[in-house]
Every structure is written in C-alpha cells, then in structure tokens.
Amino acid sequence: MSTIEGARARARREITAAIKDEARRGLAAEGASRLSLRAVARELGMASSALYRYFPSRDDLLTALIVDAYDALGEAAEETLAATPRDDPATRWVAVCGAVRAWALAHPHEFALVHGTPVPGYAAPQATTGPGVRVPLALLALTAEAQEDALLAPPTWDPLPPPVRAEAEALADEYAPGLPAPVVAALVAAWAQLVGLISFEVFGQYTGVVTARDEFFAHAVSRIAADIGLPTTRGGTPEE
Amino acid sequence: MSTIEGARARARREITAAIKDEARRGLAAEGASRLSLRAVARELGMASSALYRYFPSRDDLLTALIVDAYDALGEAAEETLAATPRDDPATRWVAVCGAVRAWALAHPHEFALVHGTPVPGYAAPQATTGPGVRVPLALLALTAEAQEDALLAPPTWDPLPPPVRAEAEALADEYAPGLPAPVVAALVAAWAQLVGLISFEVFGQYTGVVTARDEFFAHAVSRIAADIGLPTTRGGTPEE
DNA sequence: GCCGTTACGTGAGCACTGCTCTCGGCCTGG
DNA sequence: CCAGGCCGAGAGCAGTGCTCACGTAACGGC
C-alpha cells in the first residue's frame, strides 16, 4: 500500500514535481512577483485550469516552494556541519555560514522567498516552522558540541535582561540542555544577523561599498563566532 | 522663479503628493505586491489613465515610495542622533538602532519595500543610493564622534583580511578620516546585522521563539556596540 | 468483468490588472 | 487673445488568478 502505487498516484506525484520544477525555473528567471501560473501551465503544455487540481492557488504553489527552499537551505547547513571536524568550532562555524550564503547566492529568488518580504498577506506560519529552523538548529548543535568538548570560551557573558534570560533558558532546556542562556541568546541574534549579512549581498544592498564579498563575509561571521565564544584554534584571519 | 509658483505647478505637486499618500495607505493595508494603481486612482476619484501623467509606471511609483521610506528611516536615525548626548556612545547607539526599529515596526510594508525583496526585476540602484545611506552614515558619525571624544575602546581589533582592509580604509578616508579600518568594517557588518535583526521581527520570522522583543533587541544591539568598541559608561543591562 | 465513483484535463468566462492611445477641454506663456 | 502645452476621460489590449460546467479515463468494490 506504500510501495505499490497506482499509475494514477504516480502520475500525480510526477506532475506535481514537474509543476514545482517549472515554477522554480520561472522563479529563477523572473522572481516571485512575476511568476505566472498560466506561464508554467503553458510551458508544461496543459490548460491553466488543470493546474488547480494540484495546487489550490498561486500562493499555495509558492508556499510549497518556500518549504522546499527551507529544506534545501537546512540541508546545505547540515551537510557541511557533518562534513566538518568537531575540534575546530570557529572554522566550522564559518563553513556552515558560508554554505548558507553559497546556497543563497546560487538561488537568490528562492532565498528571497524565505527571507525576503513575505508574499501572501502575512500567512505561511505553521507549515514552514518545521523546516524553517533547520539552519539555526545546526548552528545550535555546533555550539552544543563545542561545549561538550569543552571548547566554548566566551570572551564575556554579560548578564541578560530577565525576560530574555527566561526565554533563553527555556530554549536551552528544549534544544540544548546545559548550554548557558547568554549563549543561546547570542545564537538567536547571530542567526538574524547572518541572514542580514546574506540579504544585503543577495538583494544588492551594498553595491559599491563592499566588493571583496567572500573575505568580508568570512571576517564578519568569524567575529560573530568569537562573540559567541567559539575559539579560533589557529590561523583565524591572516596578515600582520 | 522658485517661490512664485504657477497654480499649475502647485496642483501638480499636490496631486503627486496625494497619489503617494494614497499609495502609502494602500501599501500599509495590502502590501506592495497587492498595491493597485487602479485602486489608488479609484480612491482619488480619477481615471486610472490620468495617474500616468504623474508616474510613468507602477514601478516608478514604488520607487518614489522607496526613496521616501529611505528618507524617513534616515531622518528617524538622524533625529535621535541629534537628540542624544555625545558622552554616552553605547546608549546612544542603542537609541539610534531602536529608532530605526521603531520606524520599521510602525511602517512594516514600507520597511519591506526598502529592505525586503527588491520589487522590480533588480532595478532601483542609482536613485536610491543617496538617501539609502543616511542610517549607516548616522551610525558612522556616532562612532566618529565617540572617537573624537576618546571614547572608542574596542575589545580586540583583530586584523582584517587585506582586501577588506583596503576597502575599509578607502571608506574611512571618504566618510570618517581617522577612524581605524577594523572599526569601519565592523560598522558595515553592524549595519547589515541590524537590518537582519529588524527584518526578523517585521517579517514575523521568530514568532514563538522570541517574545520579549524590546529587551532582546536592546541586548543584541548593545552587544554589537560593545563589539565595535563603544563603551558602556554605566548601567548597561541590569540584573546581578 | 462490470459499474458507479472519483480524479483529471479542457475551454469558456469573470473580474481584475498595468498600460496605451486618442480625443476634448483647460490653463498658461508669449 | 490665442496657439501650444498640460491634463483628465474613456475605450481598448494583453495578460493575470480563479471558477465552473463538461466530457473522459482510471480506479476499486461487487
């Protein structure tokens, strides 16, 4: 009942995938706002109305693409986390952030879909919360492992405002027991800051200001790592 | 020729302003993607075609709104910069960042216009570069004044990668002679990170994760201030 | 093997959009 | 005072998201 699959269901799965693929292609070419249902139907050689058998509305198609994009982004982070040695948390951090950035630069419109202006009014909350946290969870896992290995040495843990401390402790209890509250607070901020750094680049915000993008990003992100307390074992940034 | 203004020119100015006002209203209600030229024309009691006498296209209207938003954002920053004592750079920093955040939360769709997904393909570069730098320049002015007053004491100025150093020095020469290169590099990163922090809030990215938003933002932003080297004279964050 | 149920694809059509063009009237500068 | 510019109105084009009968083909229970 799971392996055996009627030709009907198979066709549905394949056509759904084809629609998403074509939509992704149109997305990369034109951007989300210019993406047209009729155009993807035309490209697929079917009537536009047929498309509604698979996605009840344009926004639902976009939501599906958002979920996929979140997953791809999270997978990129998790892959480099797995492929990276535990004993050098700072360079590992830079590598994971770099992987997120690389994915974003390779798929700018999909990145815009997940971290740009939300497209439908203000919807898309529940369905995307699952895959949406994979990247921050990877960063958190990285830090938790560093602490297990006694490699977490923050420069200064300034005291948190009480409400922030309470929330940070709750988060720590749920996702990384034993991690100090200031560190998880710093991680949440780091996540937002990372997205800010990448958004500026993807959205062309600092054209003319920063041209050595790779180096600038690596530098900024390694400063964040130092702020969190991930030690730079050796060879941080060269010169002098 | 400047004070004397024909009734014609005056009408044009007023109608242009009325169109932008109505467009801003529609923007706040529906968002940029749902903003309709015909709707604003309808609301203004004029034919939709008449609107093209004032803005050659929908994208041009949006571009005008973008410029205005940049200006409003920059003005908010500059105002609190002016209304804030020089001798406490860290709390001044937090205040300026807080003003930017407050404006963004009060005008979410306009903020999305300037720091969300770019609306037309990838256009709007030149016209917006002028007002677009007012906020970062305010942050830079704040830091430069702190240095003049010998209030700039970074924890560690780790060496910059050579290309970043070169660009940072060029920026320093142009906008704030005498400011150390690592500081201007940190400022650029801080600007992107600030936008990231605000974007997360405006775009509803951390619903359920952070609820004590004011405190969290103030904390995160004051950590950035410390990272740059702006000293917390007294009473940073309470507790213990 | 048959047959009702279900899913699917089609084409027409509605309401809406951005934008263009032509026309007719008003204000304005010479 | 009067020609030339600006401005508004209306019709119209091409395109959009989405809905709704309408046939057709596959499916599952008998």
Side-chain angles (χ1 to χ4, degrees):
Chain A
M1 144 180 182
S2 66
T3 53
I4 287 192
E5 183 182 45
R8 212 88 200 121
R10 177 200 194 87
R12 178 166 189 87
R13 209 169 34 79
E14 284 178 357
I15 294 184
T16 304
I19 292 174
K20 289 207 288 187
D21 280 356
E22 183 55 43
R24 240 184 302 265
R25 204 167 308 134
L27 196 72
E30 301 270 23
S33 59
R34 305 244 196 259
L35 177 65
S36 146
L37 274 194
R38 290 176 115 113
V40 329
R42 215 176 299 133
E43 212 68 25
L44 260 51
M46 46 162 54
S48 65
S49 53
L51 228 144
Y52 287 82
R53 302 286 179 190
Y54 299 89
F55 296 95
S57 84
R58 196 191 103 114
D59 283 355
D60 290 270
L61 211 198
L62 283 179
T63 303
L65 295 183
I66 291 177
V67 173
D68 287 1
Y70 266 125
D71 262 323
L73 207 46
E75 199 173 309
E78 289 168 8
E79 269 178 16
T80 68
L81 184 69
T84 282
R86 251 177 103 121
D87 60 358
D88 190 349
T91 63
R92 207 183 188 196
W93 172 277
V94 174
V96 171
C97 292
V100 174
R101 168 177 176 262
W103 189 93
L105 291 177
H107 311 84
H109 287 108
E110 290 181 69
F111 178 81
L113 219 48
V114 303
H115 282 118
T117 313
V119 256
Y122 265 115
Q126 282 344 57
T128 63
T129 44
V133 293
R134 287 177 65 178
V135 172
L137 283 188
L139 296 177
L140 189 134
L142 190 161
T143 311
E145 291 181 7
Q147 200 208 18
E148 282 178 28
D149 303 348
L151 287 175
L152 193 62
T156 55
W157 277 343
D158 36 38
L160 297 175
V164 175
R165 168 171 207 89
E167 283 188 328
E169 279 171 354
L171 280 172
D173 283 351
E174 187 168 1
Y175 294 107
L179 217 53
V183 172
V184 330
L187 276 168
V188 174
W191 168 225
Q193 291 166 7
L194 171 65
V195 171
L197 285 169
I198 297 175
S199 291
F200 262 47
E201 212 167 330
V202 172
F203 296 159
Q205 210 80 28
Y206 44 46
T207 44
V209 179
V210 180
T211 57
R213 310 250 165 114
D214 292 355
E215 293 88 346
F216 178 78
F217 179 81
H219 175 72
V221 140
S222 79
R223 291 213 65 168
I224 296 180
D227 182 63
I228 288 175
L230 302 172
T232 311
T233 48
R234 80 197 70 268
T237 42
E239 197 208 31
E240 221 286 327
Chain B
M1 135 180 187
S2 65
T3 52
I4 285 192
E5 182 182 45
R8 211 90 197 120
R10 178 200 192 87
R12 179 168 187 87
R13 210 169 35 79
E14 284 177 356
I15 295 184
T16 304
I19 292 174
K20 289 207 288 188
D21 281 356
E22 182 56 41
R24 240 184 302 265
R25 205 169 306 133
L27 197 70
E30 301 271 23
S33 59
R34 305 243 196 258
L35 177 64
S36 146
L37 273 194
R38 291 176 115 112
V40 328
R42 215 176 298 134
E43 211 70 24
L44 260 50
M46 49 163 53
S48 64
S49 55
L51 226 143
Y52 287 83
R53 303 284 181 192
Y54 299 89
F55 296 94
S57 84
R58 195 191 104 115
D59 283 355
D60 290 88
L61 211 198
L62 282 179
T63 302
L65 294 183
I66 290 177
V67 174
D68 286 2
Y70 266 125
D71 263 322
L73 207 46
E75 199 172 310
E78 289 167 9
E79 269 179 15
T80 67
L81 184 69
T84 283
R86 251 177 102 121
D87 60 358
D88 191 351
T91 64
R92 208 184 186 196
W93 172 275
V94 174
V96 171
C97 292
V100 173
R101 169 176 175 263
W103 189 92
L105 290 177
H107 310 85
H109 287 107
E110 291 182 67
F111 178 80
L113 219 49
V114 304
H115 283 117
T117 312
V119 256
Y122 265 116
Q126 281 346 56
T128 63
T129 45
V133 293
R134 286 177 64 177
V135 171
L137 282 188
L139 296 176
L140 188 134
L142 189 162
T143 310
E145 290 183 6
Q147 201 209 17
E148 282 178 27
D149 303 348
L151 287 174
L152 193 62
T156 54
W157 277 344
D158 36 37
L160 299 175
V164 175
R165 169 170 208 92
E167 283 188 327
E169 280 172 353
L171 280 172
D173 283 351
E174 185 168 4
Y175 294 107
L179 216 55
V183 173
V184 329
L187 276 168
V188 173
W191 168 226
Q193 290 166 5
L194 170 64
V195 170
L197 285 169
I198 297 175
S199 291
F200 261 46
E201 212 167 332
V202 172
F203 296 158
Q205 210 80 28
Y206 43 46
T207 43
V209 179
V210 180
T211 56
R213 309 249 166 114
D214 292 357
E215 293 87 347
F216 178 78
F217 179 81
H219 175 72
V221 139
S222 79
R223 291 212 65 169
I224 295 180
D227 182 63
I228 288 175
L230 302 172
T232 312
T233 49
R234 79 196 71 268
T237 41
E239 195 209 34
E240 219 284 330

